[in-house]
């Protein structure tokens, strides 16, 4: 059994900050679950290009608002609390923060090791370890 408290992650090495987001990484590859789990805050009014070529991601919004635009078809999906979106086709997308910060819970498969930052194409690298 493993327990993790968000308050213990904030300010630790498992809190990774990007220009447009803060990711609190609760479960990682080293935890052996086969997925990683993150509590992430998307900053209001931002836009981030993301393309998880190496990972599948499911996202559950718990606070705030935003939107996702899939680039293959330019469809825009409004994200509000209670909304889940799943990038089940390695969808290249734009993630936009709305009028207020958006807090989401993200699950990645394969799991992240913890220090990943999006590259210039919005991709997380594959963890070969």
């Amino acid at each position: 059994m493993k327990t993790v408290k968000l308050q213990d992650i904030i300010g630790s090495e498992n809190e990774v900050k990007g220009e447009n987001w803060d990711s609190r990484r609760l479960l990682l590859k080293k935890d052996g679950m086969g997925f990683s789990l993150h509590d992430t805050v998307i900053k209001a009014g931002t836009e981030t290009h993301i393309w998880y070529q190496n990972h599948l991601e499911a996202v559950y919004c718990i606070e705030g608002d935003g939107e996702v635009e899939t680039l293959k078809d330019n469809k825009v999906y409004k994200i509000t609390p209670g909304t889940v979106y799943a990038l089940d086709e390695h969808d290249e997308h734009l993630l936009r923060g709305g009028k207020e910060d958006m807090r989401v819970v993200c699950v990645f498969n394969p799991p992240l090791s913890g220090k990943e930052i999006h590259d210039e194409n919005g991709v997380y690298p594959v963890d070969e370890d």
Side-chain angles (χ1 to χ4, degrees), residues 67-112:
E67 64 183 28
V68 174
E69 179 178 351
T70 49
L71 295 182
K72 72 178 178 183
D73 56 13
N74 298 105
K75 288 186 179 178
V76 176
Y77 303 87
K78 183 74 177 154
I79 307 300
T80 57
T83 303
V84 172
Y85 67 92
L87 301 161
D88 60 341
E89 296 179 358
H90 302 280
D91 308 89
E92 184 176 11
H93 61 286
L94 297 174
L95 177 58
R96 298 184 183 107
K99 295 178 182 174
E100 55 186 291
D101 287 352
M102 179 172 57
R103 185 170 166 216
V104 295
V105 175
C106 310
V107 177
F108 284 91
N109 184 16
L112 300 185

Side-chain angles (χ1 to χ4, degrees), residues 55-70:
H55 299 85
L56 296 175
E57 181 190 28
V59 180
Y60 179 61
C61 179
I62 57 176
E63 293 177 10
D65 69 304
E67 64 183 28
V68 174
E69 179 178 351
T70 49

Side-chain angles (χ1 to χ4, degrees), residues 29-70:
K29 182 178 181 177
K30 68 181 180 182
D31 295 305
M33 298 295 296
F35 60 87
S36 58
L37 180 68
H38 313 252
D39 183 302
T40 300
V41 175
I42 307 302
K43 296 176 184 173
T46 62
E47 179 178 271
T48 306
H49 173 248
I50 305 173
W51 190 7
Y52 295 127
Q53 297 172 359
N54 304 309
H55 299 85
L56 296 175
E57 181 190 28
V59 180
Y60 179 61
C61 179
I62 57 176
E63 293 177 10
D65 69 304
E67 64 183 28
V68 174
E69 179 178 351
T70 49

